[in-house]
């Protein structure tokens, strides 16, 4: 059981403004928060958020994989499995509802669709607001049953619990745990929603792959789609995405940019090491076959 998640849950479930709050400041610095919130941006689906979490888990496992429990508030949160399993062959993926996940454990938990709305998490149809008013007029006790369920879902993870939400439908639970009280437990990646759709085929998602020592972002529809994007050379995580003027890292927290190759118009100029020192070269350069040989002096 993850000690940190247990502490978080105790705080979350016992939340009561009347209670004297434990001093979180005394807590020793924690290397990595046990909870990661991934916020899908408008225009992106929850599946993109899920894929971002899976990308991150796959990378962490370094090819060794791990057990991943996907948890939904409802049965209908069960994701589309047709391409997921093929995209993440090293991960052991299973889906359960929060209710049925009680007692289960996995290396990682991903709580899907932590959003607002009738079929959100917390569910806005289960709790009876009138009953809640009778029980307590304190907002901290609203959604008591949903809070317990959320606690169950989050604590299924031995390592990290990922919570997938959407920027236009953020769950009140997410807003709450992104507050200063929980900052030691929670990291929020509003940055990327790195599960980026392949611009070539439009149907696949970019997945980090390795060929020898070289990492790159390939399409989940490979071998049907052979699209390749560069990994950001600064943060080593983001995807370098081309727009009209330059390549930009998909992680807004990073924001690295690189020029488009003026010769082929497709490749990205990167710093390479040459016999006479570093220079700028095109990523479309290949040792044989058709390639772009454009080079440029490094501007001082
Ligand atoms: Zn593609
Ligand atoms: Zn970057
Ligand atoms: Zn070029």
């Amino acid at each position: 059981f993850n000690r940190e998640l247990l502490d978080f849950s105790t705080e979350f479930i016992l939340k009561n403004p009347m209670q004297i709050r434990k001093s979180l400041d005394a807590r020793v610095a924690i290397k990595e928060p046990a909870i990661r919130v991934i916020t899908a941006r408008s225009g992106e689906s929850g599946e993109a958020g899920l894929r971002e979490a899976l990308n991150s888990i796959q990378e962490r496992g370094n090819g060794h994989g791990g057990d991943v429990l996907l948890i939904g508030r409802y049965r209908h949160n069960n994701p589309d499995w047709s391409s997921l399993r093929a995209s993440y062959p090293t991960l052991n993926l299973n889906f359960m509802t929060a209710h049925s996940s009680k007692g289960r454990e996995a290396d990682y938990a991903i709580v899907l669709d932590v959003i607002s709305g009738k079929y959100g998490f917390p569910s806005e149809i289960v709790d009876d607001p009138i009953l809640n008013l009778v029980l307590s007029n304190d907002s901290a006790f609203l959604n008591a049953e949903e809070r317990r369920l959320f606690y169950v879902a989050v604590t299924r993870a031995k390592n990290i619990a990922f919570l997938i939400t959407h920027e236009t439908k953020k769950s009140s639970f997410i807003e709450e745990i992104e507050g200063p009280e929980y900052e030691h437990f929670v990291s929020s990646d509003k940055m990327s929603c790195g599960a980026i759709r392949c611009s070539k085929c439009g149907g696949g998602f970019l997945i980090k792959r390795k060929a020898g020592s070289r990492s790159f972002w390939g399409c989940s529809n490979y071998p049907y789609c052979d699209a390749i994007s560069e990994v950001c050379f600064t943060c080593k995580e983001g995807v370098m995405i081309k727009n009209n003027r330059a390549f930009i890292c998909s992680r807004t927290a990073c924001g690295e940019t690189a020029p488009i190759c003026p010769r082929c118009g497709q490749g990205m100029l990167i710093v390479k090491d040459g016999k006479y020192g570093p220079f700028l070269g095109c990523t479309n350069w290949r040792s044989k076959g058709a390639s772009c040989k454009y080079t440029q002096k490094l501007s001082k």
Side-chain angles (χ1 to χ4, degrees), residues 126-146:
V126 172
D127 261 23
D128 184 338
I130 307 280
L131 189 65
N132 270 316
L133 271 175
V134 174
L135 290 172
S136 159
N137 53 11
D138 190 326
S139 66
F141 293 102
L142 281 172
N143 293 317
E145 196 46 46
E146 293 290 304

Side-chain angles (χ1 to χ4, degrees), residues 232-238 240 249-251 254-256:
C232 172
F233 43 85
T234 298
C235 68
K236 314 268 189 268
E237 259 189 64
M240 294 304 285
C249 176
S250 61
R251 293 183 59 214
C254 168
E256 184 60 81

Side-chain angles (χ1 to χ4, degrees), residues 198-206 218-222 224-227:
C198 171
S199 57
K200 191 169 180 182
C201 68
F205 283 94
L206 300 186
C219 178
S220 59
N221 281 340
Y222 181 83
Y224 305 104
C225 174
D226 61 357

